[in-house]
Amino acid sequence: MSGSTYHERRQILERHAVLGKLSPGEIDTLLRYSRVERYPEHEEIFAKGSPGTSMMLVLAGSVRISSISFSGKEIVFNIINAGELVGEVAVFDGGPRSGDAVAMTDCELLVLNRRDLMPCLERHADICLELIKILCERLRRTSEQVEDLVFRHVESRIAKALLQLSVRFGGQQIDGKMLELHLSQTELSTIVGSTRESVNKQLSEWEKKGIVARRKELVIVRDATALERLI
């Protein structure tokens, strides 16, 4: 996996909706004290309960945030794409990680230590507010996920997840076009809180109806309108 250059990392920070509010000098300081970490697909980035001493900016790849029960059942809270932040809770309270982070694909992360970030944040109330907005958005998403698990049938949860993930990962709007989603059935089952068998059964039914198609770890949404009707 080829890594980014210092210049490329600086450009990413400058264009970032939150961190781009820092002054050029502050961005240089952060880059000087930051480090780049690379993780191959499926490798653990950090574990739930581990010390939260840093926040990470995803430079490339996707990260899955989840939690695993003692019985081995996993539930996915969020999927973080390139350009988004991981571990921002630790910036505010310095407490332990609230979930497990695993590389869904080969990932490159810019690690920003809390001790280096805090002086910048203390001078920028606007950045703190933006980070709080991110936290609120993710909290709303988690609350919605809990409601879906309690009130929605598995068919509806799968349809909703496919549509939401297609928009985020497919790079296309839902307007009747065929949308591709690189996601295994096991990963999809952890996102919707169901078993792989149930997800496979549902996808098989939809495949017969021409709503979706499958190619190894690729789910192709052929009829987004049909899925919308199931939500």
Side-chain angles (χ1 to χ4, degrees), residues 57-76:
L57 175 64
V58 181
L59 299 174
S62 298
V63 177
R64 181 176 75 246
I65 307 297
S66 63
S67 183
I68 301 177
S69 69
F70 289 112
S71 63
K73 185 177 181 179
E74 181 182 22
I75 182 69
V76 173

Side-chain angles (χ1 to χ4, degrees), residues 87-101:
E88 67 282 352
V89 173
V91 173
F92 287 103
D93 66 3
R97 301 294 188 188
S98 57
D100 301 311

Side-chain angles (χ1 to χ4, degrees), residues 41-171:
E41 183 179 1
H42 302 314
E43 184 169 323
E44 181 182 86
I45 297 171
F46 57 73
K48 181 178 180 179
S50 61
T53 58
S54 64
M55 178 175 72
M56 305 169 187
L57 175 64
V58 181
L59 299 174
S62 298
V63 177
R64 181 176 75 246
I65 307 297
S66 63
S67 183
I68 301 177
S69 69
F70 289 112
S71 63
K73 185 177 181 179
E74 181 182 22
I75 182 69
V76 173
F77 297 129
N78 202 2
I79 295 176
I80 311 298
N81 298 315
E84 297 181 324
L85 298 170
V86 176
E88 67 282 352
V89 173
V91 173
F92 287 103
D93 66 3
R97 301 294 188 188
S98 57
D100 301 311
V102 176
M104 286 186 68
T105 62
D106 291 345
C107 289
E108 182 180 18
L109 308 176
L110 182 67
V111 182
L112 306 168
N113 292 318
R114 183 173 185 267
R115 64 174 182 269
D116 302 317
L117 270 173
M118 287 309 294
C120 294
L121 297 181
E122 288 170 357
R123 295 191 295 268
H124 289 273
D126 55 339
I127 294 181
C128 290
L129 289 174
E130 290 297 327
L131 287 173
I132 290 172
K133 287 181 181 179
I134 292 174
L135 289 173
C136 290
E137 179 185 346
R138 292 181 179 175
L139 178 58
R140 290 177 188 276
R141 189 181 302 165
T142 300
S143 297
E144 182 180 350
Q145 185 177 18
V146 172
E147 290 180 354
D148 287 344
L149 288 172
V150 174
F151 299 121
R152 287 185 183 274
H153 188 272
V154 64
E155 179 185 40
S156 177
R157 298 204 304 268
I158 297 172
K160 184 176 180 178
L162 285 178
L163 290 175
Q164 290 179 338
L165 292 170
S166 293
V167 171
R168 293 185 66 190
F169 288 94

